Amino acid sequence: MATIDTILSETRVFAPSEAFRKQATVSGMDAYKALCAKAESDYEGFWGALAKEHISWHKPFSNVLDETKAPFYRWFYDGEMNVSYNCLDRHLADKSNKTALIFEADDGKVTKVTYQDLYHRVCQFANALKAQGVAKGDRVIIYMPMSIEAVVAMQACARIGGIHSVVFGGFSAKSLHERIIDAGAKLVITADEGMRGGKAVALKSAVDDAIGMGGCDCVEKVVVYKRTGGNVHWDAQRDQWWHEAIIGQADTCEPVWVNAEDPLFILYTSGSTGKPKGVQHSSAGFLLGAILSMKWVFDHKADDVYWCTADVGWITGHTYVAYGPLAMGGTEVIFEGVPTYPDAGRFWKLIQDHKVTTFYTAPTAIRSLIKLGSDLPKQYDLSSLRLLGTVGEPINPEAWMWYYETVGQGHCPIVDTWWQTETGSNMIAPLPGAVPTKPGSCTLPLPGIIADIVDEQGGPIEKGQGGILVIKRPFPSQLRTLWGDPERYKNTYFPAELGGKMYLAGDSAHRDKDGYFWIMGRIDDVLNVSGHRLGTMEIESALVANPLVAEAAVVGKPHDIKGESVVAFVVLKGQRPTGDAAREVVAQLREWVGKEIGPIAKPDEIRFGDNLPKTRSGKIMRRLLRSIAKGEEITSDTSTLENPAILEQLKETVK
Ligand code: WT7
């Protein structure tokens, strides 16, 4: 992979500027090392003190960490608090008129919301949810466009102890259906349509379709935010407009005090089987991770304008849109649209217009914007920026350098943040006033995060060698379990081979002579396409569900912009198609996967064979398929193959 070759030979180092270091919350390498040392010498004392300092507790905790039922860890478990209280109420005394949200719609319309306004909106909607029958512990599916209302909906759930599960608006009705059932949701919150790049995206109709697929008797109500006013089908018994649901509801609402360990949300993510995993996060531990990373990694300051471009449908949009910036009492930008509409200068214009200081986006967005106009940032005033971040996938040094020089104008540190849906907040990332950065490396773990690289038995590896990435001690923001599937939680993340207590991240990595981490990629059957996580098995199951398909194998292939692209090898029930017929089936199957999972999962390439390369015991040889997809010469021994002739067929692409 191009990225890996270039990062292996990367030697540039960028120390924080004197000016940045001076003002930073954690200033200088010694300060960073002191924090790490503190965590190592008294692990519980370290986390306990931070939780006391940064979270407003309704009932203080007296115990920090319970490991008796490892790997089902509990943190601060006799404390009571409320996440929404921590994001809103506690700022009202001195920040009620401060702007909390700057929302920019697809068409450029800007709406600003102060902390006082946001508090009232959240309270009013929380009361509306209660009136619809939502109580503590009930699950609420949120299938919304990027909007003020999406944040209000999440915060309102948190306020009343409801457990939200946000489903990305780009997922299909079928995916939504699966998540509604798995979560046993009582209520679904959606919008009539979203607006992206000047085009309406139907959301309510996907909810109708999902519920129409059956088995969703758990759903009592659907609350619909009117975004576009487009036509929607209406079920008078079940559907309720957002603007009507809040009529007559008080704009104050006493938070429901929850236990530190009560779930705040479930977020589904892909794994190595066909079934997505419902990652369950806690309230206090999750919030602490969000706050500490805002402070340490984003060096958050009172006058910052923070902008994380992630959709609330992903973990990044939870931690760094819906919760982290608000817990800090900060001002943040929320953007409805896409980076390329009306043109590829949109991000840069937003930064200029809202005087963004901290900008956090994905390498794939950076790479596509370089391609669409590497000089475009120069046409905008980006002087407000002081810190840049990346997340979701490895960043190639070339893109890093462009980001640093052209966007950050050589004076903004870049925080390359490694973490996952499961870890809840940044795990390995530079503290920008302390840790020198290297293009392509996420650098060093946050204080208190005991990350390491081990061999397959959990044993040590030599410095400089690659291995599997683990986190050796429990940490507050980690997932607590997989919703409804504790066994899968244990087996996936704390496998017995590693002793049952080490968190297995699922990535491979290596460390250089300075101890810096360089992420190499996933070790499981998970692809990272444009920073989105997709399971190869999920796509395969979608393909074989099509009546034309007998068998399918999906692999990733390096892609300049998306990081990875999806290549599917398909055996049809009928004859192997060629020419126009093949093109026709490719179009049909892509459409099909879009409907089964969502447009992000559509294979970029589909190839047909009379069979797939298998060992004599019938195992598909994915290693070979990956080589074929890349166009590599197959040099390895293929004599164990049942059917070597098949390889020639699979080299043929459908053009
Ligand atoms: C996987 C997690 C974390 C929020 C977005 C993705 C990859 C994530 C980096 C990074 C290299 C990264 C890993 C990880 N990843 N950040 N800075 N450098 N790889 O969350 O969907 O749970 O995916 O994304 O492979 O395991 P996710």
Side-chain angles (χ1 to χ4, degrees), residues 269 315-316 391-394 416-422 505 507 519 522 528 531 533:
T269 188
I315 189 69
T316 313
V391 57
E393 45 179 327
D416 175 347
T417 60
W418 177 86
W419 59 298
Q420 308 175 295
T421 304
E422 293 87 343
D507 281 346
I519 307 294
R522 300 284 310 187
N528 191 329
R533 202 159 134 179

mmCIF file with all atom_site columns, all heavy atoms in Angstrom, residues 269 315-316 391-394 416-422 505 507 519 522 528 531 533, ligand 1:
data_model
loop_
_atom_site.group_PDB
_atom_site.id
_atom_site.type_symbol
_atom_site.label_atom_id
_atom_site.label_alt_id
_atom_site.label_comp_id
_atom_site.label_asym_id
_atom_site.label_entity_id
_atom_site.label_seq_id
_atom_site.pdbx_PDB_ins_code
_atom_site.Cartn_x
_atom_site.Cartn_y
_atom_site.Cartn_z
_atom_site.occupancy
_atom_site.B_iso_or_equiv
_atom_site.pdbx_formal_charge
_atom_site.auth_seq_id
_atom_site.auth_comp_id
_atom_site.auth_asym_id
_atom_site.auth_atom_id
_atom_site.pdbx_PDB_model_num
ATOM   1   N N   . THR A 1 269 ? -21.478 -0.610 14.823 1.00 0.00 ? 269 THR A N   1
ATOM   2   C CA  . THR A 1 269 ? -20.306 -0.521 13.961 1.00 0.00 ? 269 THR A CA  1
ATOM   3   C C   . THR A 1 269 ? -20.033 -1.899 13.374 1.00 0.00 ? 269 THR A C   1
ATOM   4   O O   . THR A 1 269 ? -20.535 -2.903 13.875 1.00 0.00 ? 269 THR A O   1
ATOM   5   C CB  . THR A 1 269 ? -19.088 0.021  14.734 1.00 0.00 ? 269 THR A CB  1
ATOM   6   O OG1 . THR A 1 269 ? -18.027 0.270  13.801 1.00 0.00 ? 269 THR A OG1 1
ATOM   7   C CG2 . THR A 1 269 ? -18.585 -0.963 15.782 1.00 0.00 ? 269 THR A CG2 1
ATOM   8   N N   . ILE A 1 315 ? -18.993 7.757  15.595 1.00 0.00 ? 315 ILE A N   1
ATOM   9   C CA  . ILE A 1 315 ? -18.527 8.049  16.962 1.00 0.00 ? 315 ILE A CA  1
ATOM   10  C C   . ILE A 1 315 ? -17.896 9.440  17.042 1.00 0.00 ? 315 ILE A C   1
ATOM   11  O O   . ILE A 1 315 ? -18.076 10.158 18.025 1.00 0.00 ? 315 ILE A O   1
ATOM   12  C CB  . ILE A 1 315 ? -17.547 6.957  17.477 1.00 0.00 ? 315 ILE A CB  1
ATOM   13  C CG1 . ILE A 1 315 ? -17.238 7.150  18.963 1.00 0.00 ? 315 ILE A CG1 1
ATOM   14  C CG2 . ILE A 1 315 ? -16.252 6.946  16.693 1.00 0.00 ? 315 ILE A CG2 1
ATOM   15  C CD1 . ILE A 1 315 ? -18.357 6.890  19.911 1.00 0.00 ? 315 ILE A CD1 1
ATOM   16  N N   . THR A 1 316 ? -17.189 9.849  16.002 1.00 0.00 ? 316 THR A N   1
ATOM   17  C CA  . THR A 1 316 ? -16.544 11.161 16.037 1.00 0.00 ? 316 THR A CA  1
ATOM   18  C C   . THR A 1 316 ? -17.588 12.263 16.227 1.00 0.00 ? 316 THR A C   1
ATOM   19  O O   . THR A 1 316 ? -17.356 13.237 16.948 1.00 0.00 ? 316 THR A O   1
ATOM   20  C CB  . THR A 1 316 ? -15.721 11.399 14.750 1.00 0.00 ? 316 THR A CB  1
ATOM   21  O OG1 . THR A 1 316 ? -14.947 10.222 14.501 1.00 0.00 ? 316 THR A OG1 1
ATOM   22  C CG2 . THR A 1 316 ? -14.792 12.581 14.897 1.00 0.00 ? 316 THR A CG2 1
ATOM   23  N N   . VAL A 1 391 ? -8.584  12.177 11.670 1.00 0.00 ? 391 VAL A N   1
ATOM   24  C CA  . VAL A 1 391 ? -9.124  10.985 12.320 1.00 0.00 ? 391 VAL A CA  1
ATOM   25  C C   . VAL A 1 391 ? -9.686  10.002 11.308 1.00 0.00 ? 391 VAL A C   1
ATOM   26  O O   . VAL A 1 391 ? -10.145 10.395 10.245 1.00 0.00 ? 391 VAL A O   1
ATOM   27  C CB  . VAL A 1 391 ? -10.262 11.372 13.291 1.00 0.00 ? 391 VAL A CB  1
ATOM   28  C CG1 . VAL A 1 391 ? -11.379 12.131 12.597 1.00 0.00 ? 391 VAL A CG1 1
ATOM   29  C CG2 . VAL A 1 391 ? -10.849 10.143 13.998 1.00 0.00 ? 391 VAL A CG2 1
ATOM   30  N N   . GLY A 1 392 ? -9.642  8.746  11.662 1.00 0.00 ? 392 GLY A N   1
ATOM   31  C CA  . GLY A 1 392 ? -10.394 7.744  10.921 1.00 0.00 ? 392 GLY A CA  1
ATOM   32  C C   . GLY A 1 392 ? -9.573  6.761  10.132 1.00 0.00 ? 392 GLY A C   1
ATOM   33  O O   . GLY A 1 392 ? -10.014 5.660  9.853  1.00 0.00 ? 392 GLY A O   1
ATOM   34  N N   . GLU A 1 393 ? -8.384  7.141  9.729  1.00 0.00 ? 393 GLU A N   1
ATOM   35  C CA  . GLU A 1 393 ? -7.549  6.284  8.891  1.00 0.00 ? 393 GLU A CA  1
ATOM   36  C C   . GLU A 1 393 ? -6.147  6.875  8.904  1.00 0.00 ? 393 GLU A C   1
ATOM   37  O O   . GLU A 1 393 ? -5.964  8.032  9.279  1.00 0.00 ? 393 GLU A O   1
ATOM   38  C CB  . GLU A 1 393 ? -8.100  6.248  7.458  1.00 0.00 ? 393 GLU A CB  1
ATOM   39  C CG  . GLU A 1 393 ? -8.441  7.626  7.024  1.00 0.00 ? 393 GLU A CG  1
ATOM   40  C CD  . GLU A 1 393 ? -8.979  7.787  5.615  1.00 0.00 ? 393 GLU A CD  1
ATOM   41  O OE1 . GLU A 1 393 ? -8.568  7.035  4.733  1.00 0.00 ? 393 GLU A OE1 1
ATOM   42  O OE2 . GLU A 1 393 ? -9.745  8.705  5.427  1.00 0.00 ? 393 GLU A OE2 1
ATOM   43  N N   . PRO A 1 394 ? -5.193  6.088  8.474  1.00 0.00 ? 394 PRO A N   1
ATOM   44  C CA  . PRO A 1 394 ? -3.836  6.639  8.412  1.00 0.00 ? 394 PRO A CA  1
ATOM   45  C C   . PRO A 1 394 ? -3.797  7.783  7.394  1.00 0.00 ? 394 PRO A C   1
ATOM   46  O O   . PRO A 1 394 ? -4.483  7.737  6.380  1.00 0.00 ? 394 PRO A O   1
ATOM   47  C CB  . PRO A 1 394 ? -2.997  5.456  7.911  1.00 0.00 ? 394 PRO A CB  1
ATOM   48  C CG  . PRO A 1 394 ? -3.831  4.234  8.130  1.00 0.00 ? 394 PRO A CG  1
ATOM   49  C CD  . PRO A 1 394 ? -5.245  4.676  8.037  1.00 0.00 ? 394 PRO A CD  1
ATOM   50  N N   . ASP A 1 416 ? -2.954  13.935 14.801 1.00 0.00 ? 416 ASP A N   1
ATOM   51  C CA  . ASP A 1 416 ? -3.440  12.737 14.108 1.00 0.00 ? 416 ASP A CA  1
ATOM   52  C C   . ASP A 1 416 ? -3.923  11.824 15.227 1.00 0.00 ? 416 ASP A C   1
ATOM   53  O O   . ASP A 1 416 ? -3.135  11.321 16.020 1.00 0.00 ? 416 ASP A O   1
ATOM   54  C CB  . ASP A 1 416 ? -2.279  12.118 13.320 1.00 0.00 ? 416 ASP A CB  1
ATOM   55  C CG  . ASP A 1 416 ? -2.644  10.786 12.661 1.00 0.00 ? 416 ASP A CG  1
ATOM   56  O OD1 . ASP A 1 416 ? -3.690  10.197 12.996 1.00 0.00 ? 416 ASP A OD1 1
ATOM   57  O OD2 . ASP A 1 416 ? -1.850  10.320 11.810 1.00 0.00 ? 416 ASP A OD2 1
ATOM   58  N N   . THR A 1 417 ? -5.253  11.646 15.302 1.00 0.00 ? 417 THR A N   1
ATOM   59  C CA  . THR A 1 417 ? -5.838  10.992 16.471 1.00 0.00 ? 417 THR A CA  1
ATOM   60  C C   . THR A 1 417 ? -6.261  9.569  16.148 1.00 0.00 ? 417 THR A C   1
ATOM   61  O O   . THR A 1 417 ? -7.147  9.344  15.334 1.00 0.00 ? 417 THR A O   1
ATOM   62  C CB  . THR A 1 417 ? -7.074  11.779 16.954 1.00 0.00 ? 417 THR A CB  1
ATOM   63  O OG1 . THR A 1 417 ? -8.041  11.821 15.899 1.00 0.00 ? 417 THR A OG1 1
ATOM   64  C CG2 . THR A 1 417 ? -6.700  13.201 17.339 1.00 0.00 ? 417 THR A CG2 1
ATOM   65  N N   . TRP A 1 418 ? -5.624  8.613  16.788 1.00 0.00 ? 418 TRP A N   1
ATOM   66  C CA  . TRP A 1 418 ? -6.042  7.221  16.616 1.00 0.00 ? 418 TRP A CA  1
ATOM   67  C C   . TRP A 1 418 ? -7.001  6.846  17.733 1.00 0.00 ? 418 TRP A C   1
ATOM   68  O O   . TRP A 1 418 ? -6.711  7.052  18.921 1.00 0.00 ? 418 TRP A O   1
ATOM   69  C CB  . TRP A 1 418 ? -4.852  6.252  16.633 1.00 0.00 ? 418 TRP A CB  1
ATOM   70  C CG  . TRP A 1 418 ? -5.354  4.831  16.520 1.00 0.00 ? 418 TRP A CG  1
ATOM   71  C CD1 . TRP A 1 418 ? -5.630  4.167  15.366 1.00 0.00 ? 418 TRP A CD1 1
ATOM   72  C CD2 . TRP A 1 418 ? -5.723  3.955  17.597 1.00 0.00 ? 418 TRP A CD2 1
ATOM   73  N NE1 . TRP A 1 418 ? -6.160  2.920  15.665 1.00 0.00 ? 418 TRP A NE1 1
ATOM   74  C CE2 . TRP A 1 418 ? -6.222  2.766  17.017 1.00 0.00 ? 418 TRP A CE2 1
ATOM   75  C CE3 . TRP A 1 418 ? -5.696  4.069  18.996 1.00 0.00 ? 418 TRP A CE3 1
ATOM   76  C CZ2 . TRP A 1 418 ? -6.677  1.685  17.785 1.00 0.00 ? 418 TRP A CZ2 1
ATOM   77  C CZ3 . TRP A 1 418 ? -6.152  3.002  19.760 1.00 0.00 ? 418 TRP A CZ3 1
ATOM   78  C CH2 . TRP A 1 418 ? -6.630  1.813  19.152 1.00 0.00 ? 418 TRP A CH2 1
ATOM   79  N N   . TRP A 1 419 ? -8.125  6.319  17.345 1.00 0.00 ? 419 TRP A N   1
ATOM   80  C CA  . TRP A 1 419 ? -9.100  5.801  18.307 1.00 0.00 ? 419 TRP A CA  1
ATOM   81  C C   . TRP A 1 419 ? -10.157 5.051  17.538 1.00 0.00 ? 419 TRP A C   1
ATOM   82  O O   . TRP A 1 419 ? -10.002 4.823  16.341 1.00 0.00 ? 419 TRP A O   1
ATOM   83  C CB  . TRP A 1 419 ? -9.691  6.906  19.186 1.00 0.00 ? 419 TRP A CB  1
ATOM   84  C CG  . TRP A 1 419 ? -10.412 8.024  18.466 1.00 0.00 ? 419 TRP A CG  1
ATOM   85  C CD1 . TRP A 1 419 ? -9.869  8.889  17.571 1.00 0.00 ? 419 TRP A CD1 1
ATOM   86  C CD2 . TRP A 1 419 ? -11.786 8.383  18.600 1.00 0.00 ? 419 TRP A CD2 1
ATOM   87  N NE1 . TRP A 1 419 ? -10.831 9.774  17.141 1.00 0.00 ? 419 TRP A NE1 1
ATOM   88  C CE2 . TRP A 1 419 ? -12.001 9.484  17.754 1.00 0.00 ? 419 TRP A CE2 1
ATOM   89  C CE3 . TRP A 1 419 ? -12.860 7.896  19.360 1.00 0.00 ? 419 TRP A CE3 1
ATOM   90  C CZ2 . TRP A 1 419 ? -13.256 10.097 17.644 1.00 0.00 ? 419 TRP A CZ2 1
ATOM   91  C CZ3 . TRP A 1 419 ? -14.084 8.514  19.255 1.00 0.00 ? 419 TRP A CZ3 1
ATOM   92  C CH2 . TRP A 1 419 ? -14.277 9.605  18.399 1.00 0.00 ? 419 TRP A CH2 1
ATOM   93  N N   . GLN A 1 420 ? -11.229 4.630  18.195 1.00 0.00 ? 420 GLN A N   1
ATOM   94  C CA  . GLN A 1 420 ? -12.242 3.779  17.565 1.00 0.00 ? 420 GLN A CA  1
ATOM   95  C C   . GLN A 1 420 ? -13.604 4.027  18.198 1.00 0.00 ? 420 GLN A C   1
ATOM   96  O O   . GLN A 1 420 ? -13.684 4.558  19.308 1.00 0.00 ? 420 GLN A O   1
ATOM   97  C CB  . GLN A 1 420 ? -11.902 2.303  17.816 1.00 0.00 ? 420 GLN A CB  1
ATOM   98  C CG  . GLN A 1 420 ? -10.510 1.897  17.458 1.00 0.00 ? 420 GLN A CG  1
ATOM   99  C CD  . GLN A 1 420 ? -10.237 0.465  17.842 1.00 0.00 ? 420 GLN A CD  1
ATOM   100 O OE1 . GLN A 1 420 ? -10.230 0.127  19.015 1.00 0.00 ? 420 GLN A OE1 1
ATOM   101 N NE2 . GLN A 1 420 ? -10.037 -0.384 16.853 1.00 0.00 ? 420 GLN A NE2 1
ATOM   102 N N   . THR A 1 421 ? -14.622 3.547  17.520 1.00 0.00 ? 421 THR A N   1
ATOM   103 C CA  . THR A 1 421 ? -15.975 3.602  18.087 1.00 0.00 ? 421 THR A CA  1
ATOM   104 C C   . THR A 1 421 ? -15.942 3.042  19.516 1.00 0.00 ? 421 THR A C   1
ATOM   105 O O   . THR A 1 421 ? -16.541 3.596  20.431 1.00 0.00 ? 421 THR A O   1
ATOM   106 C CB  . THR A 1 421 ? -16.931 2.751  17.222 1.00 0.00 ? 421 THR A CB  1
ATOM   107 O OG1 . THR A 1 421 ? -16.860 3.228  15.881 1.00 0.00 ? 421 THR A OG1 1
ATOM   108 C CG2 . THR A 1 421 ? -18.358 2.835  17.722 1.00 0.00 ? 421 THR A CG2 1
ATOM   109 N N   . GLU A 1 422 ? -15.199 1.961  19.676 1.00 0.00 ? 422 GLU A N   1
ATOM   110 C CA  . GLU A 1 422 ? -15.171 1.261  20.961 1.00 0.00 ? 422 GLU A CA  1
ATOM   111 C C   . GLU A 1 422 ? -14.423 2.014  22.045 1.00 0.00 ? 422 GLU A C   1
ATOM   112 O O   . GLU A 1 422 ? -14.678 1.804  23.233 1.00 0.00 ? 422 GLU A O   1
ATOM   113 C CB  . GLU A 1 422 ? -14.510 -0.109 20.789 1.00 0.00 ? 422 GLU A CB  1
ATOM   114 C CG  . GLU A 1 422 ? -15.293 -1.090 19.935 1.00 0.00 ? 422 GLU A CG  1
ATOM   115 C CD  . GLU A 1 422 ? -14.998 -0.973 18.434 1.00 0.00 ? 422 GLU A CD  1
ATOM   116 O OE1 . GLU A 1 422 ? -14.442 0.063  18.013 1.00 0.00 ? 422 GLU A OE1 1
ATOM   117 O OE2 . GLU A 1 422 ? -15.322 -1.914 17.702 1.00 0.00 ? 422 GLU A OE2 1
ATOM   118 N N   . ALA A 1 505 ? -7.459  -4.018 19.846 1.00 0.00 ? 505 ALA A N   1
ATOM   119 C CA  . ALA A 1 505 ? -8.055  -2.962 19.026 1.00 0.00 ? 505 ALA A CA  1
ATOM   120 C C   . ALA A 1 505 ? -8.448  -3.454 17.633 1.00 0.00 ? 505 ALA A C   1
ATOM   121 O O   . ALA A 1 505 ? -9.350  -2.899 17.015 1.00 0.00 ? 505 ALA A O   1
ATOM   122 C CB  . ALA A 1 505 ? -7.073  -1.801 18.913 1.00 0.00 ? 505 ALA A CB  1
ATOM   123 N N   . ASP A 1 507 ? -6.198  -3.494 15.139 1.00 0.00 ? 507 ASP A N   1
ATOM   124 C CA  . ASP A 1 507 ? -5.272  -2.853 14.200 1.00 0.00 ? 507 ASP A CA  1
ATOM   125 C C   . ASP A 1 507 ? -3.872  -3.439 14.375 1.00 0.00 ? 507 ASP A C   1
ATOM   126 O O   . ASP A 1 507 ? -3.516  -3.893 15.461 1.00 0.00 ? 507 ASP A O   1
ATOM   127 C CB  . ASP A 1 507 ? -5.158  -1.344 14.494 1.00 0.00 ? 507 ASP A CB  1
ATOM   128 C CG  . ASP A 1 507 ? -6.330  -0.559 13.943 1.00 0.00 ? 507 ASP A CG  1
ATOM   129 O OD1 . ASP A 1 507 ? -7.080  -1.109 13.120 1.00 0.00 ? 507 ASP A OD1 1
ATOM   130 O OD2 . ASP A 1 507 ? -6.497  0.603  14.332 1.00 0.00 ? 507 ASP A OD2 1
ATOM   131 N N   . ILE A 1 519 ? 0.192   3.361  12.650 1.00 0.00 ? 519 ILE A N   1
ATOM   132 C CA  . ILE A 1 519 ? -0.878  2.389  12.428 1.00 0.00 ? 519 ILE A CA  1
ATOM   133 C C   . ILE A 1 519 ? -0.753  1.835  11.012 1.00 0.00 ? 519 ILE A C   1
ATOM   134 O O   . ILE A 1 519 ? -0.650  2.602  10.053 1.00 0.00 ? 519 ILE A O   1
ATOM   135 C CB  . ILE A 1 519 ? -2.268  3.048  12.585 1.00 0.00 ? 519 ILE A CB  1
ATOM   136 C CG1 . ILE A 1 519 ? -2.383  3.777  13.938 1.00 0.00 ? 519 ILE A CG1 1
ATOM   137 C CG2 . ILE A 1 519 ? -3.388  2.028  12.392 1.00 0.00 ? 519 ILE A CG2 1
ATOM   138 C CD1 . ILE A 1 519 ? -2.353  2.908  15.152 1.00 0.00 ? 519 ILE A CD1 1
ATOM   139 N N   . ARG A 1 522 ? -6.037  -2.739 9.574  1.00 0.00 ? 522 ARG A N   1
ATOM   140 C CA  . ARG A 1 522 ? -6.808  -3.697 10.371 1.00 0.00 ? 522 ARG A CA  1
ATOM   141 C C   . ARG A 1 522 ? -6.214  -5.100 10.244 1.00 0.00 ? 522 ARG A C   1
ATOM   142 O O   . ARG A 1 522 ? -5.662  -5.460 9.208  1.00 0.00 ? 522 ARG A O   1
ATOM   143 C CB  . ARG A 1 522 ? -8.254  -3.730 9.888  1.00 0.00 ? 522 ARG A CB  1
ATOM   144 C CG  . ARG A 1 522 ? -8.994  -2.415 9.978  1.00 0.00 ? 522 ARG A CG  1
ATOM   145 C CD  . ARG A 1 522 ? -9.434  -2.041 11.343 1.00 0.00 ? 522 ARG A CD  1
ATOM   146 N NE  . ARG A 1 522 ? -10.157 -3.097 12.036 1.00 0.00 ? 522 ARG A NE  1
ATOM   147 C CZ  . ARG A 1 522 ? -10.767 -2.912 13.224 1.00 0.00 ? 522 ARG A CZ  1
ATOM   148 N NH1 . ARG A 1 522 ? -10.752 -1.726 13.800 1.00 0.00 ? 522 ARG A NH1 1
ATOM   149 N NH2 . ARG A 1 522 ? -11.385 -3.896 13.813 1.00 0.00 ? 522 ARG A NH2 1
ATOM   150 N N   . ASN A 1 528 ? -11.588 0.000  5.618  1.00 0.00 ? 528 ASN A N   1
ATOM   151 C CA  . ASN A 1 528 ? -11.731 1.395  5.993  1.00 0.00 ? 528 ASN A CA  1
ATOM   152 C C   . ASN A 1 528 ? -11.836 2.197  4.694  1.00 0.00 ? 528 ASN A C   1
ATOM   153 O O   . ASN A 1 528 ? -10.847 2.493  4.046  1.00 0.00 ? 528 ASN A O   1
ATOM   154 C CB  . ASN A 1 528 ? -10.522 1.826  6.823  1.00 0.00 ? 528 ASN A CB  1
ATOM   155 C CG  . ASN A 1 528 ? -10.733 3.179  7.453  1.00 0.00 ? 528 ASN A CG  1
ATOM   156 O OD1 . ASN A 1 528 ? -11.429 4.038  6.897  1.00 0.00 ? 528 ASN A OD1 1
ATOM   157 N ND2 . ASN A 1 528 ? -10.138 3.395  8.608  1.00 0.00 ? 528 ASN A ND2 1
ATOM   158 N N   . GLY A 1 531 ? -12.616 6.487  5.598  1.00 0.00 ? 531 GLY A N   1
ATOM   159 C CA  . GLY A 1 531 ? -12.754 6.659  7.045  1.00 0.00 ? 531 GLY A CA  1
ATOM   160 C C   . GLY A 1 531 ? -13.968 5.952  7.612  1.00 0.00 ? 531 GLY A C   1
ATOM   161 O O   . GLY A 1 531 ? -14.223 6.014  8.805  1.00 0.00 ? 531 GLY A O   1
ATOM   162 N N   . ARG A 1 533 ? -16.022 2.458  8.448  1.00 0.00 ? 533 ARG A N   1
ATOM   163 C CA  . ARG A 1 533 ? -15.694 1.077  8.711  1.00 0.00 ? 533 ARG A CA  1
ATOM   164 C C   . ARG A 1 533 ? -16.727 0.169  8.084  1.00 0.00 ? 533 ARG A C   1
ATOM   165 O O   . ARG A 1 533 ? -17.919 0.338  8.314  1.00 0.00 ? 533 ARG A O   1
ATOM   166 C CB  . ARG A 1 533 ? -15.733 0.934  10.215 1.00 0.00 ? 533 ARG A CB  1
ATOM   167 C CG  . ARG A 1 533 ? -14.974 -0.178 10.738 1.00 0.00 ? 533 ARG A CG  1
ATOM   168 C CD  . ARG A 1 533 ? -14.718 0.171  12.193 1.00 0.00 ? 533 ARG A CD  1
ATOM   169 N NE  . ARG A 1 533 ? -14.992 -0.984 12.981 1.00 0.00 ? 533 ARG A NE  1
ATOM   170 C CZ  . ARG A 1 533 ? -14.846 -1.004 14.293 1.00 0.00 ? 533 ARG A CZ  1
ATOM   171 N NH1 . ARG A 1 533 ? -14.476 0.084  14.938 1.00 0.00 ? 533 ARG A NH1 1
ATOM   172 N NH2 . ARG A 1 533 ? -15.077 -2.082 14.954 1.00 0.00 ? 533 ARG A NH2 1
HETATM 173 C C1  . WT7 B 2 .   ? -10.610 2.277  12.990 1.00 0.00 ? 1   WT7 B C1  1
HETATM 174 C C2  . WT7 B 2 .   ? -11.764 2.667  13.867 1.00 0.00 ? 1   WT7 B C2  1
HETATM 175 C C3  . WT7 B 2 .   ? -12.140 6.944  15.545 1.00 0.00 ? 1   WT7 B C3  1
HETATM 176 C C4  . WT7 B 2 .   ? -13.252 7.542  14.870 1.00 0.00 ? 1   WT7 B C4  1
HETATM 177 C C5  . WT7 B 2 .   ? -13.380 7.260  13.428 1.00 0.00 ? 1   WT7 B C5  1
HETATM 178 C C6  . WT7 B 2 .   ? -13.276 5.822  13.019 1.00 0.00 ? 1   WT7 B C6  1
HETATM 179 C C7  . WT7 B 2 .   ? -8.852  3.403  11.950 1.00 0.00 ? 1   WT7 B C7  1
HETATM 180 C C8  . WT7 B 2 .   ? -8.961  5.580  13.205 1.00 0.00 ? 1   WT7 B C8  1
HETATM 181 C C9  . WT7 B 2 .   ? -6.986  6.395  12.828 1.00 0.00 ? 1   WT7 B C9  1
HETATM 182 C C10 . WT7 B 2 .   ? -5.763  7.119  12.716 1.00 0.00 ? 1   WT7 B C10 1
HETATM 183 C C11 . WT7 B 2 .   ? -4.891  5.332  11.479 1.00 0.00 ? 1   WT7 B C11 1
HETATM 184 C C12 . WT7 B 2 .   ? -7.069  5.133  12.214 1.00 0.00 ? 1   WT7 B C12 1
HETATM 185 C C13 . WT7 B 2 .   ? -8.306  2.219  12.693 1.00 0.00 ? 1   WT7 B C13 1
HETATM 186 C C14 . WT7 B 2 .   ? -9.358  1.960  13.747 1.00 0.00 ? 1   WT7 B C14 1
HETATM 187 N N1  . WT7 B 2 .   ? -8.313  4.662  12.456 1.00 0.00 ? 1   WT7 B N1  1
HETATM 188 N N2  . WT7 B 2 .   ? -8.178  6.629  13.428 1.00 0.00 ? 1   WT7 B N2  1
HETATM 189 N N3  . WT7 B 2 .   ? -5.614  8.338  13.263 1.00 0.00 ? 1   WT7 B N3  1
HETATM 190 N N4  . WT7 B 2 .   ? -4.755  6.545  12.036 1.00 0.00 ? 1   WT7 B N4  1
HETATM 191 N N5  . WT7 B 2 .   ? -6.031  4.605  11.535 1.00 0.00 ? 1   WT7 B N5  1
HETATM 192 O O1  . WT7 B 2 .   ? -13.855 4.983  13.975 1.00 0.00 ? 1   WT7 B O1  1
HETATM 193 O O2  . WT7 B 2 .   ? -15.218 3.479  12.537 1.00 0.00 ? 1   WT7 B O2  1
HETATM 194 O O3  . WT7 B 2 .   ? -14.588 2.812  14.881 1.00 0.00 ? 1   WT7 B O3  1
HETATM 195 O O4  . WT7 B 2 .   ? -12.881 2.875  13.053 1.00 0.00 ? 1   WT7 B O4  1
HETATM 196 O O5  . WT7 B 2 .   ? -10.264 3.376  12.148 1.00 0.00 ? 1   WT7 B O5  1
HETATM 197 O O6  . WT7 B 2 .   ? -8.207  1.138  11.826 1.00 0.00 ? 1   WT7 B O6  1
HETATM 198 O O7  . WT7 B 2 .   ? -9.381  0.651  14.235 1.00 0.00 ? 1   WT7 B O7  1
HETATM 199 P P1  . WT7 B 2 .   ? -14.205 3.511  13.627 1.00 0.00 ? 1   WT7 B P1  1
#
